[in-house]
Amino acid sequence: MQQRWQVGYLFTRHNGWFVRYYSTKIVDGQPKRVQCCKRLCDGDVPKKTVEQLRYEHMASVNEVTQPQADLTIVDFWDKTYEPFIEENLKPSTVRGYKQVWAAHLKKHFGTVLLKDYRTPHGSVFLTSLSKTYAKHTVQSIRSLASGIFSHAVNLGHIESNPWHDVKVLGKTKEVPATKHYTLEEIENIISALVEHVDCQLIMALAFFLGLRRGEIEGLQWGDIDAGFIHIRRSAWQGHITTPKTKKSVRSIPIIQPVAALLVLWKAKAGDGAYLFDKRMNYYARKIIRPALTKEKLSWKGLHAGRRGLGTVLRTLTGNSNAGRDVLGHTTTQVTENHYEGAMPEEALKGMKLLEAKIAKETK
């Protein structure tokens, strides 16, 4: 019976740390896969030490059977990689990986063994996709495939990652320009939502402060103080998670268009911890889009607000530093490539310039 490579599931109980895993044992004369549990240490031991103890124990468990060189890629996904990402990655990331796997990679890999897959297989496959799908989609497929083989390398199933040198051979499909709101468009949208101050605030947070959908949904009243909104969490389909990246944990100065709406909404919102008690999809589908359709205004999605802010800040400051810091990007290249049609003071400068521009135009 083939036994997959396991990392083990950590949990606490009775003031102790335990690891749960599976092992093959002889039951009634037949090999049977059964669940096992091992106490590692007391509950007050630092997590880093606990992780090391888990690693050492699971290494001994995994040594019972050698990695199978004749394992198919699909079996490796089902038995090893899918459980691994479910345990270690955010729910939104796991969902995206599963969609890419089901839509593109599972059929491509078919019955091919891990040990038999070669770089040319991947390059020919990606090249065929590049004629139909946008560059970002092709890159997502490549990234997941490479991650699967990299994990197989680290677990000892294969010697090297065949996707390391995979690339598209030729031209890729042109990527359509991303949509963004202009300052005039967002002001018209907020005016159209005059009867829904919660939705006005949502659109203002997306454009004037550049918050992501999940960051808006995860925002609490306690995150607002001294003229700043502090981004500390994100929400996705009811799951509360950490922000997208380390750089996404940030503090953004509140400028006047947002400050006024915060005061109005606070007076109506009640005593709940979160600013909004419904998901962003609800507000967009039930309130915002119908209101914009009625006024013949374009709906480009909440993310178009972030792109609009990046474009405005670039115009006002002459560089991408403010946009990088306000939007929570790791580098200015991301801002330049995707959010423009590490100095915090430049972010503040950009936001103040935007506030002054709005005040001038509304006089």
Side-chain angles (χ1 to χ4, degrees):
M1 180 180 293
Q2 180 175 296
Q3 181 170 311
R4 82 181 192 203
W5 193 272
Q6 302 176 78
V7 295
Y9 174 72
L10 273 180
F11 64 97
T12 57
R13 184 172 298 170
H14 305 306
N15 195 31
W17 280 100
F18 295 78
V19 62
R20 184 182 296 134
Y21 58 95
Y22 286 89
S23 181
T24 301
K25 297 184 180 297
I26 302 301
V27 179
D28 297 329
Q30 297 294 326
K32 184 177 180 181
R33 192 169 174 80
V34 296
Q35 189 178 88
C36 302
C37 183
K38 167 73 174 179
R39 190 180 193 277
L40 298 174
C41 58
D42 292 339
D44 57 357
V45 172
K47 185 67 177 294
K48 187 175 181 180
T49 302
V50 177
E51 291 284 1
Q52 180 62 29
L53 291 172
R54 171 172 70 166
Y55 173 81
E56 293 172 356
H57 179 72
M58 293 309 301
S60 65
V61 172
N62 289 317
E63 284 175 359
V64 174
T65 56
Q66 296 298 318
Q68 300 296 313
D70 58 351
L71 189 66
T72 68
I73 304 167
V74 172
D75 279 343
F76 180 72
W77 165 274
D78 290 339
K79 299 176 181 178
T80 303
Y81 197 70
E82 186 177 27
F84 171 76
I85 63 174
E86 287 176 338
E87 180 180 346
N88 292 280
L89 302 182
K90 293 182 179 180
S92 57
T93 304
V94 172
R95 183 191 183 195
Y97 280 4
K98 288 183 177 181
Q99 289 176 337
V100 170
W101 171 261
H104 304 285
L105 290 175
K106 184 175 182 179
K107 181 179 179 181
H108 167 65
F109 290 137
T111 59
V112 178
L113 301 179
L114 274 169
K115 66 178 183 178
D116 291 338
Y117 198 88
R118 297 291 182 269
T119 297
H121 300 154
S123 293
V124 171
F125 174 57
L126 279 194
T127 301
S128 67
L129 293 177
S130 68
K131 309 303 179 185
T132 305
Y133 297 97
K135 184 177 180 179
H136 176 74
T137 301
V138 175
Q139 180 57 39
S140 297
I141 296 169
R142 186 194 184 286
S143 179
L144 176 57
S146 183
I148 293 170
F149 281 91
S150 178
H151 197 60
V153 170
N154 283 292
L155 295 182
H157 290 283
I158 52 178
E159 293 298 321
S160 61
N161 181 355
W163 276 79
H164 183 270
D165 295 315
V166 167
K167 63 181 180 180
V168 174
L169 306 173
K171 295 182 178 180
T172 59
K173 182 181 178 181
E174 290 295 326
V175 180
T178 54
K179 296 180 179 180
H180 68 276
Y181 295 116
T182 65
L183 181 57
E184 180 182 0
E185 285 176 326
I186 206 67
E187 288 174 339
N188 289 337
I189 287 172
I190 290 176
S191 295
L193 295 169
V194 66
E195 296 181 0
H196 306 280
V197 66
D198 50 353
C199 294
Q200 286 183 311
L201 179 57
I202 288 169
M203 296 305 299
L205 290 169
F207 183 91
F208 293 116
L209 300 191
L211 269 61
R212 297 178 176 91
R213 176 195 300 261
E215 293 170 350
I216 298 173
E217 197 167 306
L219 201 59
Q220 296 183 359
W221 289 108
D223 300 325
I224 304 169
D225 66 72
F228 285 83
I229 283 184
H230 307 284
I231 306 304
R232 298 295 180 265
R233 75 192 66 77
S234 183
W236 181 81
Q237 293 194 349
H239 299 278
I240 300 299
T241 67
T242 56
K244 186 175 181 180
T245 64
K246 289 183 179 179
K247 190 65 185 267
S248 297
V249 178
R250 61 201 191 280
S251 297
I252 308 171
I254 302 172
I255 60 177
Q256 183 53 38
V258 178
L261 291 171
L262 279 170
V263 172
L264 291 174
W265 179 234
K266 180 61 176 177
K268 289 188 174 183
D271 298 325
Y274 289 86
L275 267 69
F276 307 102
D277 60 359
K278 297 180 179 62
R279 297 180 185 177
M280 294 301 104
N281 282 340
Y282 170 85
Y283 291 107
R285 186 177 68 255
K286 295 293 186 179
I287 303 174
I288 300 175
R289 295 186 67 173
L292 300 193
T293 299
K294 182 179 178 181
E295 297 297 326
K296 298 181 180 179
L297 297 173
S298 297
W299 166 249
K300 302 176 183 179
L302 282 178
H303 211 71
R306 280 172 59 80
R307 299 191 192 100
L309 177 61
T311 302
V312 171
L313 291 179
R314 172 74 186 194
T315 301
L316 292 173
T317 65
N319 61 57
S320 302
N321 293 335
R324 174 199 62 200
D325 291 329
V326 173
L327 297 174
H329 292 151
T330 305
T331 66
T332 55
Q333 185 176 0
V334 175
T335 314
E336 292 167 0
N337 291 345
H338 304 288
Y339 290 84
E340 290 177 356
M343 296 187 299
E345 63 268 21
E346 292 205 39
L348 181 59
K349 174 185 174 183
M351 297 301 284
K352 291 299 182 183
L353 286 170
L354 175 58
E355 186 173 43
K357 178 179 176 61
I358 297 166
K360 182 179 179 181
E361 292 184 358
T362 54
K363 285 183 178 180

